[in-house]
Short mmCIF file of all heavy atoms in Angstrom, two decimals:
data_model
loop_
_atom_site.label_atom_id
_atom_site.label_comp_id
_atom_site.label_asym_id
_atom_site.label_seq_id
_atom_site.Cartn_x
_atom_site.Cartn_y
_atom_site.Cartn_z
N GLN A 39 16.24 -18.37 7.19
CA GLN A 39 16.43 -18.75 8.57
C GLN A 39 17.74 -19.50 8.75
O GLN A 39 18.25 -20.10 7.80
CB GLN A 39 15.26 -19.61 9.07
CG GLN A 39 15.24 -21.01 8.51
CD GLN A 39 13.87 -21.37 7.96
OE1 GLN A 39 13.20 -20.55 7.35
NE2 GLN A 39 13.46 -22.60 8.18
N VAL A 40 18.28 -19.46 9.95
CA VAL A 40 19.52 -20.17 10.25
C VAL A 40 19.23 -21.68 10.28
O VAL A 40 18.11 -22.10 10.55
CB VAL A 40 20.12 -19.72 11.60
CG1 VAL A 40 20.56 -18.27 11.53
CG2 VAL A 40 19.15 -19.93 12.74
N ASP A 41 20.25 -22.48 9.97
CA ASP A 41 20.09 -23.92 10.07
C ASP A 41 19.92 -24.34 11.52
O ASP A 41 19.07 -25.18 11.84
CB ASP A 41 21.31 -24.64 9.46
CG ASP A 41 21.35 -24.47 7.95
OD1 ASP A 41 20.33 -24.10 7.35
OD2 ASP A 41 22.43 -24.71 7.38
N ARG A 42 20.76 -23.77 12.37
CA ARG A 42 20.71 -24.03 13.82
C ARG A 42 20.99 -22.74 14.56
O ARG A 42 21.78 -21.92 14.10
CB ARG A 42 21.77 -25.06 14.24
CG ARG A 42 21.46 -26.45 13.82
CD ARG A 42 22.46 -27.43 14.43
NE ARG A 42 22.04 -28.78 14.12
CZ ARG A 42 21.15 -29.47 14.84
NH1 ARG A 42 20.63 -28.95 15.91
NH2 ARG A 42 20.80 -30.68 14.47
N CYS A 43 20.38 -22.60 15.71
CA CYS A 43 20.66 -21.43 16.54
C CYS A 43 22.11 -21.52 17.02
O CYS A 43 22.50 -22.54 17.61
CB CYS A 43 19.70 -21.38 17.72
SG CYS A 43 20.11 -20.07 18.90
N PRO A 44 22.92 -20.49 16.80
CA PRO A 44 24.31 -20.54 17.27
C PRO A 44 24.42 -20.51 18.79
O PRO A 44 25.44 -20.91 19.34
CB PRO A 44 24.95 -19.31 16.64
CG PRO A 44 23.85 -18.43 16.22
CD PRO A 44 22.62 -19.28 16.05
N ALA A 45 23.39 -20.09 19.48
CA ALA A 45 23.45 -19.99 20.94
C ALA A 45 23.00 -21.29 21.63
O ALA A 45 23.66 -21.77 22.54
CB ALA A 45 22.60 -18.83 21.42
N CYS A 46 21.87 -21.86 21.19
CA CYS A 46 21.34 -23.03 21.89
C CYS A 46 21.37 -24.31 21.04
O CYS A 46 21.13 -25.39 21.56
CB CYS A 46 19.91 -22.77 22.35
SG CYS A 46 18.70 -22.62 21.02
N GLY A 47 21.63 -24.19 19.74
CA GLY A 47 21.75 -25.37 18.89
C GLY A 47 20.44 -25.92 18.36
O GLY A 47 20.43 -26.94 17.67
N GLU A 48 19.33 -25.26 18.65
CA GLU A 48 18.05 -25.74 18.15
C GLU A 48 18.02 -25.66 16.62
O GLU A 48 18.47 -24.68 16.05
CB GLU A 48 16.91 -24.91 18.76
CG GLU A 48 15.53 -25.37 18.38
CD GLU A 48 15.17 -26.74 18.95
OE1 GLU A 48 15.86 -27.22 19.85
OE2 GLU A 48 14.20 -27.32 18.47
N ALA A 49 17.50 -26.71 15.98
CA ALA A 49 17.48 -26.78 14.52
C ALA A 49 16.24 -26.09 13.96
O ALA A 49 15.13 -26.29 14.47
CB ALA A 49 17.51 -28.23 14.07
N TYR A 50 16.45 -25.28 12.92
CA TYR A 50 15.33 -24.60 12.26
C TYR A 50 15.31 -24.84 10.76
O TYR A 50 14.38 -24.41 10.10
CB TYR A 50 15.39 -23.09 12.54
CG TYR A 50 15.21 -22.76 13.99
CD1 TYR A 50 16.28 -22.31 14.75
CD2 TYR A 50 13.99 -22.94 14.60
CE1 TYR A 50 16.12 -22.05 16.10
CE2 TYR A 50 13.82 -22.68 15.94
CZ TYR A 50 14.89 -22.23 16.68
OH TYR A 50 14.72 -21.98 18.02
N ARG A 51 16.32 -25.48 10.22
CA ARG A 51 16.42 -25.67 8.78
C ARG A 51 15.24 -26.41 8.20
O ARG A 51 14.80 -26.14 7.08
CB ARG A 51 17.72 -26.41 8.45
CG ARG A 51 17.96 -26.56 6.96
CD ARG A 51 19.19 -27.34 6.68
NE ARG A 51 19.02 -28.69 7.23
CZ ARG A 51 20.00 -29.56 7.36
NH1 ARG A 51 21.19 -29.25 6.99
NH2 ARG A 51 19.77 -30.76 7.86
N HIS A 52 14.68 -27.35 8.93
CA HIS A 52 13.62 -28.21 8.41
C HIS A 52 12.24 -27.56 8.48
O HIS A 52 11.28 -28.11 7.96
CB HIS A 52 13.60 -29.51 9.21
CG HIS A 52 13.29 -29.31 10.65
ND1 HIS A 52 14.17 -28.69 11.51
CD2 HIS A 52 12.20 -29.62 11.38
CE1 HIS A 52 13.63 -28.64 12.71
NE2 HIS A 52 12.43 -29.20 12.66
N ILE A 53 12.11 -26.42 9.10
CA ILE A 53 10.80 -25.78 9.25
C ILE A 53 10.53 -24.89 8.05
O ILE A 53 11.34 -24.05 7.69
CB ILE A 53 10.73 -24.97 10.55
CG1 ILE A 53 10.97 -25.87 11.76
CG2 ILE A 53 9.38 -24.28 10.67
CD1 ILE A 53 11.04 -25.13 13.07
N ARG A 54 9.38 -25.07 7.43
CA ARG A 54 9.00 -24.29 6.26
C ARG A 54 7.68 -23.56 6.53
O ARG A 54 6.69 -24.19 6.89
CB ARG A 54 8.79 -25.21 5.05
CG ARG A 54 9.99 -26.00 4.66
CD ARG A 54 10.92 -25.15 3.80
NE ARG A 54 12.04 -25.92 3.32
CZ ARG A 54 13.23 -25.95 3.94
NH1 ARG A 54 13.42 -25.26 5.02
NH2 ARG A 54 14.21 -26.66 3.45
N SER A 55 7.69 -22.27 6.33
CA SER A 55 6.43 -21.53 6.46
C SER A 55 5.78 -21.30 5.10
O SER A 55 4.67 -20.76 5.02
CB SER A 55 6.66 -20.19 7.17
OG SER A 55 7.50 -19.36 6.40
N ASP A 56 6.48 -21.67 4.04
CA ASP A 56 5.98 -21.56 2.66
C ASP A 56 5.39 -20.18 2.39
O ASP A 56 6.04 -19.20 2.64
CB ASP A 56 4.98 -22.68 2.36
CG ASP A 56 5.66 -24.05 2.35
OD1 ASP A 56 6.86 -24.11 2.03
OD2 ASP A 56 4.99 -25.03 2.67
#
Side-chain angles (χ1 to χ4, degrees):
Q39 72 229 39
V40 295
D41 291 343
R42 287 188 174 275
C43 173
C46 68
E48 184 66 15
Y50 295 109
R51 184 182 62 192
H52 63 290
I53 300 175
R54 301 278 184 265
S55 64
D56 294 331

